Amino acid sequence: MALDKQTILGLAEHLETCELQARDTLKITDEHPSMDWDDAYAIQDEILRRKLARGARLIGLKAGLTSHAKMKQMGVDTPVFGFLVDSFSVPEGAEVKMKELIHPKVEPEIAFVLKRALKGPGCHIGAVLAATDFVLPGIEVIDSRYRDFKFDLKSVVADNTSAARFVVGGRAMRPDQIDMRTLGVVMERNGEVVSIGAGAAVLGHPAAAVAALANHLGRRGQEIPAGTVILSGGVTEAISVEPGDHVSLRIQHLGSVSLHFA
Ligand code: OOG
Ligand code: MG
């Protein structure tokens, strides 16, 4: 750790306030260039602690920057991990209020729900499939608190990997019923196709993103609990939305899920 406790608490408060007030900020490494990975995750952990202290429930986890399209879009080269609390969850077809957000973008994702806990290190695709109850289509709404989505990896980790809202729905499929690599993914905004992809865009197999998450947590002595919903990462690059936009995602065999931006 390069930052002291007081600085970590202060940065967590700053980033969470930006989130809650829908205000942007410069990336925090500009002022704290020595910040390391442990500091970045400690800031994220403190944001979670603040939310739990106010009564939020931890309901899920996410992997981000797991596809080449996303890595290229953001100019980075490794996955990052974050958390999902109940206030991020939006019902299928619901309205997302634009004025609660800064500059939201949507991503098509494959969501996993676990029936058994997963613990790294050494977690692999096989272990993930054995522990998965079912998968679902999910739209993640990301909203970096950094001006113009300009950040480096440590800053985005501290900012809980831009997590803001998400919806899951469609048709739940058991992992033995489908080949996740070849699932076709089509996302539309106002009826126009804006992104197309296949499951394999996510680290070759979306379950590999869940394994990477379990291994990341394992290094910190944590596991993914049973029942957790996990967003495995955007299949394609993220798409900006504006008030009035309607976004729908269809994934082969998994049905569709949608959101409206008001
Ligand atoms: C970071 C979050 C990326 C994904 O699915 O790749 C992410 C960002 O691009 O703001 O959630
Ligand atoms: Mg995402």
Side-chain angles (χ1 to χ4, degrees):
M1 307 269 290
L3 303 184
D4 60 36
K5 180 87 187 166
Q6 238 15 67
T7 308
I8 285 175
L9 298 183
L11 288 169
E13 181 180 7
H14 172 62
L15 286 172
E16 204 210 4
T17 303
C18 287
E19 178 210 324
L20 297 175
Q21 300 182 355
R23 277 197 288 120
D24 69 4
T25 183
L26 293 176
K27 68 178 191 308
I28 58 177
T29 47
D30 288 356
E31 273 201 43
H32 302 279
S34 66
M35 185 174 118
D36 65 21
W37 286 103
D38 289 338
D39 296 322
Y41 278 104
I43 295 165
Q44 186 192 114
D45 289 347
E46 172 61 17
I47 294 174
L48 173 60
R49 196 202 58 75
R50 292 171 63 88
K51 291 186 184 303
L52 296 178
R54 290 197 305 268
R57 284 193 56 204
L58 178 63
I59 56 173
L61 296 166
K62 60 170 281 191
L65 307 172
T66 50
S67 69
H68 287 296
K70 276 291 309 187
M71 289 188 207
K72 190 163 162 240
Q73 181 181 31
M74 306 321 298
V76 297
D77 56 8
T78 42
V80 291
F81 307 101
F83 66 80
L84 303 169
V85 286
D86 52 348
S87 58
F88 297 174
S89 169
V90 178
E92 152 65 14
E95 267 188 4
V96 174
K97 294 191 187 69
M98 287 292 280
K99 66 174 191 316
E100 296 177 357
L101 302 169
I102 305 161
H103 44 199
K105 297 184 187 183
V106 288
E107 303 180 316
E109 306 218 8
I110 295 173
F112 288 67
V113 177
L114 298 189
K115 58 185 172 193
R116 284 204 299 276
L118 264 177
K119 195 166 169 66
C123 187
H124 51 77
I125 290 176
V128 173
L129 296 180
T132 298
D133 201 352
F134 51 83
V135 294
L136 291 164
I139 301 173
E140 182 177 27
V141 182
I142 54 169
D143 192 37
S144 176
R145 269 55 69 169
Y146 299 120
R147 194 153 305 158
D148 303 322
F149 266 86
K150 290 215 168 60
F151 51 64
D152 50 33
L153 279 171
K154 288 171 193 151
S155 293
V156 77
V157 163
D159 184 33
N160 191 26
T161 66
S162 313
R165 300 284 184 272
F166 73 98
V167 59
V168 293
R171 182 187 305 144
M173 287 291 240
R174 288 196 324 262
D176 62 347
Q177 294 174 302
I178 47 172
D179 177 351
M180 280 179 232
R181 295 169 303 172
T182 54
L183 288 181
V185 173
V186 179
M187 192 167 69
E188 292 175 27
R189 185 182 53 197
N190 306 326
E192 181 200 342
V193 175
V194 284
S195 45
I196 0 175
V202 174
L203 294 178
H205 192 306
V210 180
L213 170 66
N215 291 329
H216 159 79
L217 291 175
R219 283 191 290 278
R220 312 170 83 220
Q222 297 168 7
E223 62 177 27
I224 312 179
T228 305
V229 59
I230 303 155
L231 298 177
S232 58
V235 173
T236 67
E237 57 177 35
I239 304 288
S240 295
V241 286
E242 281 171 22
D245 280 354
H246 180 86
V247 176
S248 75
L249 167 66
R250 263 177 298 149
I251 301 186
Q252 190 177 14
H253 306 304
L254 305 182
S256 62
V257 67
S258 65
L259 278 181
H260 184 74
F261 288 84

